[in-house]
């Protein structure tokens, strides 16, 4: 989950590199660095901490040259130090390399290289990759061949980008299971780990495939596939606008993206709703016979995407009457799951680059499953390796804490459930129409939830120092409880905890203290009384109750210290609304705790290592 950027062109690379890294900082921000080939001299500048520290280090220095690479790091091997920061160089400084991912056999390779006299200055697997490329470059004299040879000896998932002092007009990149694009400019070319890094300069990109090696000069992007055959990849035009990856008038991306949810829902819904309000899943069409072939659905994802899947599981089972299993991707592969050609596998991923989810998808395909993915980043690895893709149109999500991706993922599950139910005839026309009307009303209802902001700010001001916060709920509310808890953990570092409300009394209620905050979701009409009983159980033990309920349900106030009301809606779709006050609560608590909201400690936006 590091950020990589490379430039070859008529201008000096350093601003392209640093600005690109600033757009990639959400992918990792432990340290950053650039290497520029200034007409035969490789100049490397690296700093620990945010990109601002790198800018400060370089100051007014002009690094010159026409070729350069940059990197922003999320540490995997070796601590956060300048020595471990990328770019790494070989011993005589004639070659520099940046890397995203992990080299799983780096210790063995390092020992071999040390036995040949190579001396290392860092603890990283990246420096091993650099020294290996350098060794082969000295043997072969060709940078592309050297990278290919090194890649053939390295196991793991990685993108490598290298520059060599005696090649002041080119760079070479290689991709294996980590994201890489090559961007075509007017009179320059770039590589990057993510569209955001190049959007300001060009929107025309090649999606680099696994095993590809790319040779970049100012005038050409030459791509070789894993059989070393020169290949033409499709040139894609990115639809995102530059501002989409900008904070605008918001203090943080997280708040901006919370507020972008109505638009994300509208965008995503409109692409799959016909004039006569039928759900039409372009690219995921299925006949009744095809759908009947599957005896179960398996949803696999991580983090917030997994929480969307929890709600998706309930709504598909309830509406389409199809059995649904769900698992976190990091567990799925290792439990020898029952997957075969009768399994419809749904991978959910905002970035489409999460290694755990990607590997789980590959495992499911190996076992014969049909794979649909719900993804936000067009052309990402998960999308490209799926049989069918259901894109969310949330726009680029920069804040590490996922918000608008979550609600658009939820929406995709609602649309899948209705689509399947319509095919299988498990829903009446009247109920189908009512459900669709509910989904169409969601953007306006989310906007109404924003009216809670002043109240939530006051709650945050009162309780931001409470170190024990529980989220509880039943049914769909329990799915949102897990997401609300993760948001609070991620951005405020509070030891938050989510649990099915009915489960509290089986042990966890022992933790209730007078200062414990319990955020109780009580939006499910069918489960309201049961949820109130659970609230009473914890309130009787002095917990402080902040409840979330539907407008008009004022009976909840008798059991709560404070209540956040959401607009009325069907029980099934309440997660699209009840999550909003929880996102806002997490945001304002983090703000009052003076946390680094968009780039929380220890986290990265896309976890491209297992
Ligand atoms: C969510 O706020 C977290 N940043 C994290 O749990 C994230 O949802 C998870 O890593 C999955 O990412 P993906 O959706 O890009 O696959």
């Amino acid at each position: 989950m590091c950020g990589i950027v490379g430039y070859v062109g008529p201008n000096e690379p350093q601003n392209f590199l640093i600005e690109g890294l600033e757009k990639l900082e959400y992918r990792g921000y432990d340290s950053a660095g650039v290497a520029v080939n200034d007409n035969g001299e490789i100049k490397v500048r690296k700093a620990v901490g945010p990109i601002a520290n790198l800018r400060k280090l370089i100051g007014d220095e002009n690094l010159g040259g026409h070729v350069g690479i940059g990197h922003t790091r999320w540490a995997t091997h070796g601590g956060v130090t300048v020595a471990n920061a990328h770019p790494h160089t070989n011993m005589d400084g004639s070659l520099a390399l940046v890397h995203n991912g992990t080299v799983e056999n780096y210790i063995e390779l390092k020992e071999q290289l040390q036995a040949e006299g190579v001396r290392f200055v860092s603890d990283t697997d990246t420096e091993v990759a650099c020294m290996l490329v350098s060794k082969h470059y000295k043997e072969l004299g060709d940078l592309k061949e050297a990278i290919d040879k090194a890649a053939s000896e390295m196991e793991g998932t990685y993108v490598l980008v290298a520059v060599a002092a005696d090649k002041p007009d080119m760079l070479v990149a290689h991709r294996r299971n980590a994201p890489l694009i090559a961007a075509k400019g007017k009179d320059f070319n770039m590589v990057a780990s993510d569209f955001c890094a190049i959007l300001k300069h060009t929107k025309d990109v090649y999606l680099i495939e696994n095993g590809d090696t790319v040779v970049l000069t100012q005038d050409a992007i030459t791509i070789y596939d894993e059989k070393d055959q020169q290949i033409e990849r499709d040139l894609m035009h990115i639809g995102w606008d530059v501002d989409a990856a900008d904070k605008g008038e918001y203090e943080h991306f997280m708040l901006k993206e919370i507020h972008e949810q109505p638009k994300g829902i509208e965008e995503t819904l409109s692409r799959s709703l016909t004039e006569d309000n039928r759900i039409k899943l372009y690219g995921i069409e299925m006949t009744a016979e095809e759908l009947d072939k599957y005896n179960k659905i398996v949803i696999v994802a991580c983090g917030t995407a997994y929480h969307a899947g929890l709600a998706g599981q309930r709504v598909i089972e309830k509406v389409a009457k199809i059995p649904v299993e769900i698992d976190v991707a990091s567990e799925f592969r290792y439990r020898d799951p029952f997957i075969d050609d009768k399994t419809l596998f749904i991978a959910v991923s905002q970035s489409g680059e999460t290694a755990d989810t990607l590997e789980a998808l590959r495992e499911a395909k190996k076992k014969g499953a049909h794979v649909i993915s719900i993804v936000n980043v067009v052309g990402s690895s998960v999308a490209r390796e799926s049989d069918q893709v259901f894109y969310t149109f949330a726009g680029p999500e920069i804040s590490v804490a996922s918000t608008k991706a979550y609600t658009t993922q939820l929406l995709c599950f609602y649309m899948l459930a209705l689509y399947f139910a319509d095919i299988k005839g498990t829903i009446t026309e009247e109920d189908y129409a009512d459900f669709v009307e509910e989904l169409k009303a969601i953007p306006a209802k989310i906007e109404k939830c924003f009216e809670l902001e002043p109240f939530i700010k006051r709650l945050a001001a009162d309780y931001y120092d409470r170190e024990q916060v529980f989220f509880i709920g039943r049914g769909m509310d329990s799915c949102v409880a897990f997401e609300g808890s993760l948001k609070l953990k991620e951005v405020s570092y509070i030891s938050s905890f989510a649990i099915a409300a009915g489960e509290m009394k089986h042990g966890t209620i022992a933790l209730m203290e007078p200062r414990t905050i319990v955020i109780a979701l009580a939006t499910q009409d069918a489960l309201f009384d049961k949820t109130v009983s659970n609230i009473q159980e914890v309130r009787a033990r002095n917990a402080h109750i902040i409840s979330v309920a539907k407008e008009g349900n004022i009976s909840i106030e008798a059991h709560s210290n404070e209540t956040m009301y959401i607009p009325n809606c069907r029980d099934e779709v309440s997660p699209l609304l009840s999550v909003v006050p929880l996102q806002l609560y997490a945001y304002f608590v983090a703000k009052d705790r003076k946390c680094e909201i968009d780039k929380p400690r220890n986290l990265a936006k896309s976890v491209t290592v297992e």
Side-chain angles (χ1 to χ4, degrees), residues 302-305 348-352 354 357 400-402 409 486-487 490 605 607:
C302 302
T304 288
V348 191
S349 176
Q350 186 287 129
S351 64
T354 299
T357 307
V400 167
S402 183
Q409 287 160 358
L486 178 61
K487 284 295 86 59
E490 275 192 292
K605 182 62 181 172
V607 186

Side-chain angles (χ1 to χ4, degrees), residues 1-6 27 69-71 86 97-103 125-126 129-130 133 147 151 154-162 171-182 191-194 208-214 353 381 384 608-609:
M1 45 274 200
C2 304
I4 283 178
V5 62
R27 297 178 63 89
I69 54 178
H71 184 274
H86 306 201
L97 177 140
V98 294
H99 159 236
N100 178 21
T102 51
V103 181
D125 53 346
T126 309
C130 179
V133 171
I147 282 210
M154 289 162 40
E155 293 157 19
T157 66
Y158 48 80
V159 158
L160 306 173
V161 187
L171 63 79
V172 178
H174 179 79
R175 176 184 193 245
R176 183 186 296 178
N177 293 334
L180 181 70
I181 57 168
V191 288
S193 47
D194 189 313
I208 303 306
E209 300 288 350
N210 268 345
D212 285 0
T213 301
V214 190
E353 299 300 345
S381 303
R384 279 185 266 166
T608 54
V609 291

Side-chain angles (χ1 to χ4, degrees), residues 22 72 131 190 237 250 285 330 379 463 467 540 546 558-559:
E22 284 169 340
T72 182
M131 296 301 187
M190 297 180 78
H237 186 79
Y250 289 94
E285 287 80 5
S330 53
Y463 308 125
E467 294 300 335
I546 302 173
H559 313 288

Side-chain angles (χ1 to χ4, degrees), residues 93-267:
S94 63
L95 183 140
L97 177 140
V98 294
H99 159 236
N100 178 21
T102 51
V103 181
E104 289 170 1
N105 61 334
Y106 83 99
I107 292 174
E108 174 199 328
L109 293 169
K110 186 168 185 173
E111 286 165 357
Q112 286 166 13
L113 289 162
Q114 284 171 320
E116 294 164 13
V118 175
R119 286 187 314 287
F120 290 85
V121 297
S122 84
D123 312 317
T124 66
D125 53 346
T126 309
E127 191 184 11
V128 174
C130 179
M131 296 301 187
L132 194 59
V133 171
S134 173
K135 169 189 168 187
H136 292 314
Y137 187 44
K138 289 183 179 5
E139 291 160 355
L140 302 167
D142 179 296
L143 189 55
K144 175 199 164 302
E145 287 174 22
I147 282 210
D148 286 345
K149 180 98 172 71
S152 70
E153 296 166 4
M154 289 162 40
E155 293 157 19
T157 66
Y158 48 80
V159 158
L160 306 173
V161 187
V163 291
D166 62 355
K167 293 283 183 298
D169 58 354
M170 67 180 277
L171 63 79
V172 178
H174 179 79
R175 176 184 193 245
R176 183 186 296 178
N177 293 334
L180 181 70
I181 57 168
K184 183 172 172 28
K186 196 164 51 57
D187 59 353
F188 65 90
N189 289 309
M190 297 180 78
V191 288
S193 47
D194 189 313
F195 301 137
C196 299
I198 52 87
L199 261 182
K200 178 181 175 185
H201 309 295
T202 177
K203 293 189 174 186
D204 295 324
V205 301
Y206 293 101
L207 301 178
I208 303 306
E209 300 288 350
N210 268 345
D212 285 0
T213 301
V214 190
V215 178
L216 220 69
T217 63
Q218 178 174 328
D219 308 315
I221 297 175
T222 312
I223 303 170
Y224 300 85
D225 67 13
E226 54 192 352
K227 298 188 183 68
D228 203 17
Q229 300 302 309
Q230 194 171 331
I231 188 163
E232 287 302 315
R233 294 285 180 214
D234 298 338
L235 188 64
M236 192 180 97
H237 186 79
I238 307 167
W240 289 350
D241 60 48
V242 177
D243 298 345
D246 216 294
K247 275 191 289 201
E249 83 272 9
Y250 289 94
E251 191 178 350
H252 296 100
F253 277 110
M254 184 178 177
L255 189 59
K256 176 186 178 220
E257 289 158 6
I258 289 171
H259 279 266
E260 286 177 333
Q261 292 183 111
K263 184 162 158 266
I265 295 284
E266 269 166 5
E267 270 297 301

Side-chain angles (χ1 to χ4, degrees), residues 11 18 82 89-90 179 182 195 237 239 253 277 280 315 348 355 376 381 435 454 458 471 483 521 562 566 571 587 591:
N11 302 302
I18 295 173
V82 172
T89 60
N90 59 358
F195 301 137
H237 186 79
F253 277 110
N277 285 334
K280 179 148 179 44
V315 74
V348 191
N376 194 43
S381 303
F435 213 123
R458 285 201 304 279
F471 290 77
E483 177 53 17
L521 291 118
E562 289 96 5
I566 61 171
D571 279 4
Y587 174 77
K591 203 154 177 274

